[in-house]
Amino acid sequence: MGDSTGEPGSSMHGVTGREQTFAFSVASPIVPTDKTAKFDLPVDSEHKATVFKLFSFAKPHMRTFHLSWISFSTCFVSTFAAAPLVPIIRENLNLTKQDIGNAGVASVSGSIFSRLVMGAVCDLLGPRYGCAFLVMLSAPTVFSMSFVSDAGGFITVRFMIGFCLATFVSCQYWMSTMFNSQIIGLVNGTAAGWGNMGGGVTQLLMPIVYEIIRRCGATAFTAWRLAFFVPGWLHIIMGVLVLNLGQDLPDGNRSALEKKGEVAKDKFGKIMWYAVTNYRTWIFVLLYGYSMGVELSTDNVMAEYFFDRFHLKLHTAGIIAASFGMANFFARPAGGYASDLAAKYFGMRGRLWALWIIQTAGGLFCVWLGRANTLVTAVVAMILFSLGAQAACGATFAIVPFVSRRALGIISGLTGAGGNFGSGLTQLIFFSTSRFTTEQGLTWMGVMIVACTLPVTLIHFPQWGSMFLPPSSDPVKGTEEHYYASEWNDQEKQKNLHQGSLRFAENAKSEGGPRSRSATPPQNTPNNA
């Protein structure tokens, strides 16, 4: 396949060493490059890019990156578009504090189910269809917000819009199929972080759109409704772009490659089984519930918190709240990069330690935010909390791709759904009743973050070890090949369906830390997965 021309996803020229260089470029160390493949970026034996050039639109790797994060960010904008306008909406619809809290829970609960489904769609049909169709199908629900007339309608529409947050799963799955494992922390962190940044963008965008419409002559109660047409049209535009410009895998779209026999067509029952029977999956579901989950909860309450507690103007409260989401621009990528850096020196054990340290620090800063008594202190604590929570998200999905090669989509979906479940549960307990004030809710949420991060100590990979325990000494079970090939039975192995897993195992050997650097990587790998 590497010697053929005109293959889907291949460029018209090979890597010559004279390609344009970019201001921001990160290369994957150690991993051997497949010099026979014809792509704009150097690739490994799976044709995953070993270089991350942020300001490039090279097909298919970097083009996929940009389509993925922009579509995910669009969904974040629409899901949280109501949050900065709540002070206006609550007057128009006569919403109570409980109504607003329930709407916040609904906005993140919808995607619990949709993220599970998206994981299976990515594994079986590919991330392009999953992302494009979800973005376009959710556009009518965004437009529907303009026509709600009571609390029930408001809560229902926010629930339905929240389904689109499942694009997070397609985003992370897509990056894991396009980029080598040694830079996946940074790539996943950047794609998801810039996507999550939509939660901050909407805090700025919606008040501005509302104000423009109001100054054009609309009443306040009409202006907020018309403002929702902006994110609705963004959904349609991004869906069309992803469908026409996106590509499932480096070598082409999944359906075309399956017809050629170059990609194995898997079965839902088997990938689901390997996902749910891997105990690491459920630990990451919990961990993500109290990193991404608390970020979603905070997006829903932060503008209202500063508006009510410190008596700020709506626009000012929106700007402060926006800084929480906007920190994703660098915080989540930084978490992923910190994980990659820790892995460079300490392997997978370094990644696990980095995750525990970052997420625990975020929880402590959340406690501080809840106990802050002045505006300056609250803003500083909020920024530090946002850095910790968002960096922890990046560090989490720097590890998730290593849990399973075969069931990556399902595990990504379960982990992503854990974020939404954690958010819904946290918001229901602390921010939907009068039992806790918002500041008390933030304090106890921080305590839960610290407590729910402890299970990271239980994650152990037999080939790499855990935070406190070394890898297995078994010469067979302690290898990458055994871990990933064990997801295939003997009959499937006879059909060579496991070759993709073996190739992934080869490229993941450096997760063993310094000991892996002395090992000579195998050069003879199959051309087709």
Side-chain angles (χ1 to χ4, degrees), residues 467-479:
M467 286 177 62
F468 297 106
L469 299 176
S472 171
S473 58
D474 190 302
V476 176
K477 294 183 179 180
T479 64

Side-chain angles (χ1 to χ4, degrees), residues 72-82 195 198-199 201-202 205-206 231 234:
F72 179 41
S73 183
T74 298
C75 294
F76 244 89
V77 168
S78 59
T79 299
F80 295 100
V201 170
T202 198
L205 175 66
M206 295 305 289
L234 288 176

Side-chain angles (χ1 to χ4, degrees), residues 163-425:
F163 273 67
C164 69
L165 287 182
T167 50
F168 165 77
V169 177
S170 61
C171 171
Q172 299 294 270
Y173 180 94
W174 225 344
M175 296 304 95
S176 297
T177 63
M178 287 287 178
F179 293 90
N180 178 264
S181 59
Q182 293 310 294
I183 56 174
I184 195 58
L186 176 62
V187 177
N188 263 348
T190 305
W194 286 15
N196 287 0
M197 194 169 59
V201 170
T202 198
Q203 301 280 354
L204 296 174
L205 175 66
M206 295 305 289
I208 292 174
V209 173
Y210 161 79
E211 190 64 26
I212 291 174
I213 295 173
R214 195 178 65 81
R215 290 188 180 185
C216 288
T219 64
F221 291 170
T222 300
W224 77 259
R225 297 174 183 273
L226 294 178
F228 275 87
F229 278 84
V230 173
W233 275 105
L234 288 176
H235 272 245
I236 295 174
I237 293 170
M238 284 311 304
V240 172
L241 289 176
V242 169
L243 193 60
N244 287 279
L245 300 179
Q247 183 172 303
D248 290 320
L249 299 166
D251 297 306
N253 289 318
R254 174 174 284 275
S255 58
L257 295 175
E258 285 179 351
K259 290 179 180 179
K260 293 180 180 180
E262 296 173 2
V263 170
K265 189 171 184 177
D266 220 328
K267 297 180 180 179
F268 173 76
K270 289 193 174 182
I271 58 175
M272 175 61 78
W273 171 257
Y274 286 115
V276 300
T277 56
N278 191 323
Y279 81 92
R280 302 167 191 83
T281 300
W282 302 107
I283 294 179
F284 280 110
V285 169
L286 175 64
L287 291 171
Y288 205 61
Y290 285 91
S291 57
M292 184 61 192
V294 297
E295 181 185 347
L296 294 175
S297 296
T298 307
D299 280 334
N300 270 324
V301 303
M302 198 49 58
E304 184 184 13
Y305 167 69
F306 279 101
F307 180 84
D308 292 336
R309 180 167 172 74
F310 299 105
H311 309 292
L312 303 178
K313 295 181 179 179
L314 177 62
H315 183 62
T316 304
I319 292 176
I320 295 175
S323 64
F324 183 89
M326 295 295 285
N328 270 295
F329 181 79
F330 56 86
R332 187 158 182 159
Y337 181 71
S339 182
D340 289 342
L341 192 63
K344 181 179 179 181
Y345 294 101
F346 305 105
M348 178 56 68
R349 301 177 76 180
R351 290 190 189 274
L352 295 171
W353 272 103
L355 172 58
W356 179 79
I357 292 171
I358 293 170
Q359 189 158 321
T360 299
L364 295 176
F365 289 130
C366 183
V367 173
W368 186 27
L369 172 61
R371 301 183 67 83
N373 293 318
T374 65
L375 177 60
V376 173
T377 303
V379 170
V380 172
M382 182 201 70
I383 292 174
L384 292 175
F385 166 43
S386 70
L387 294 177
Q390 292 156 12
C393 293
T396 297
F397 268 86
I399 304 174
V400 167
F402 296 99
V403 175
S404 170
R405 167 64 165 75
R406 186 174 187 179
L408 173 60
I410 296 289
I411 292 176
S412 296
L414 286 168
T415 304
N420 290 80
F421 181 80
S423 174
L425 180 63

Side-chain angles (χ1 to χ4, degrees), residues 43-60:
V43 297
D44 62 16
S45 60
E46 292 181 280
H47 292 173
K48 295 180 180 181
T50 58
V51 174
F52 180 50
K53 294 184 176 180
L54 188 57
F55 302 113
S56 165
F57 287 86
K59 180 182 177 181

